[in-house]
Amino acid sequence: YTLSLHDALPIYINSSAPDKLQVLEDYEKEAKKSLVSWESFLACVARNNSDDALEIIRRVEESDSFRVDQANDQRALFAVFAGNRKRSLLTKEGRNFLEEKIIQLSAINEFSTLHMLKVLGNIDLIAAEHQTDLIQVLKNIEEKLDAKKTPSVANTLKRILEGSPKGLKLWNDKP
């Protein structure tokens, strides 16, 4: 049994192989020829759990083929990354990236932004050690958004905060 490159890519980019960025670049050249392959490629990159996962995501985001104004690209790279809670919620770098992308996308596509916000919907169920940081992410986003221009995002943020009494208490009690 042999794996196709499509099947092997997620395993390979999660490795520490010295040529993984070259393999990724070569696969990207093929993937961008088809919208289905491109979206699958972006999702594979977004699910990456390697030590350099965010570096890889940012590299792909800077590609000429990535279109931040396209819902399928937003969904495949940013929403899938948000769903990778191990990275998006439990690491400082991931939380910073999530916050940055939610703010960026709120001005482009509220619907995609709402999908990303879903991962923050159960803060009180996350380990207490992460709750204050996640509440801070929400507060930072709330502060930077124009509620009149992005009402769905602003209202969703408000609902998430109201639905996170434990996290809010920890955040309010922090020194």
Side-chain angles (χ1 to χ4, degrees), residues 2 5 12 24 36 40 45 53 63 67 69 78 86-87 99 118-119 121 129 136 144 164 166 168 173:
T2 57
L5 183 56
Y12 205 70
L24 185 76
V36 172
S40 178
V45 168
S63 163
R67 302 264 320 267
D69 60 334
F78 301 139
K86 180 180 174 184
R87 285 278 169 209
E99 178 182 319
K118 283 182 185 180
V119 301
E129 67 190 84
Q136 188 61 56
K144 293 175 183 165
S164 306
K166 292 178 187 176
L168 275 172
D173 293 347

Side-chain angles (χ1 to χ4, degrees), residues 2-167:
T2 57
L3 290 174
S4 69
L5 183 56
H6 175 76
D7 294 330
L9 186 67
I11 298 165
Y12 205 70
I13 66 170
N14 275 299
S15 76
S16 58
D19 65 339
K20 77 177 182 176
L21 294 179
Q22 185 59 53
V23 169
L24 185 76
E25 190 176 303
D26 292 345
Y27 188 81
E28 178 183 350
K29 288 176 187 171
E30 289 303 310
K32 67 184 180 183
K33 294 176 183 177
S34 156
L35 289 176
V36 172
S37 294
W38 177 246
E39 194 165 348
S40 178
F41 168 76
L42 292 175
C44 173
V45 168
R47 286 186 195 99
N48 179 14
N49 279 313
S50 66
D51 290 340
D52 56 351
L54 279 173
E55 177 185 324
I56 292 170
I57 290 171
R58 287 193 184 278
R59 180 180 177 152
V60 169
E61 181 185 12
E62 292 171 7
S63 163
D64 291 341
S65 300
F66 182 77
R67 302 264 320 267
V68 73
D69 60 334
Q70 295 297 309
N72 62 319
D73 285 16
Q74 297 162 6
R75 183 177 50 247
L77 193 61
F78 301 139
V80 171
F81 169 78
N84 183 358
R85 290 174 172 91
K86 180 180 174 184
R87 285 278 169 209
S88 67
L89 301 182
L90 305 182
T91 67
K92 181 178 178 17
E93 300 81 16
R95 288 188 298 270
N96 290 341
F97 185 77
L98 182 66
E99 178 182 319
E100 172 190 329
K101 293 305 151 189
I102 287 172
I103 291 166
Q104 177 187 9
L105 282 184
S106 68
I108 299 169
N109 185 330
E110 281 191 272
F111 189 73
S112 290
T113 307
L114 295 174
H115 280 286
M116 292 176 68
L117 280 172
K118 283 182 185 180
V119 301
L120 294 159
N122 293 312
I123 290 175
D124 284 357
L125 300 178
I126 295 173
E129 67 190 84
H130 300 293
Q131 289 181 19
T132 57
D133 293 331
L134 295 170
I135 293 293
Q136 188 61 56
V137 166
L138 290 170
K139 293 287 191 177
N140 293 345
I141 294 167
E142 186 178 48
E143 181 181 301
K144 293 175 183 165
L145 284 182
D146 182 340
K148 289 182 176 151
K149 290 183 181 177
T150 59
S152 297
V153 174
N155 289 333
T156 300
L157 278 170
K158 183 178 177 183
R159 279 193 301 277
I160 292 171
L161 285 166
E162 289 172 353
S164 306
K166 292 178 187 176

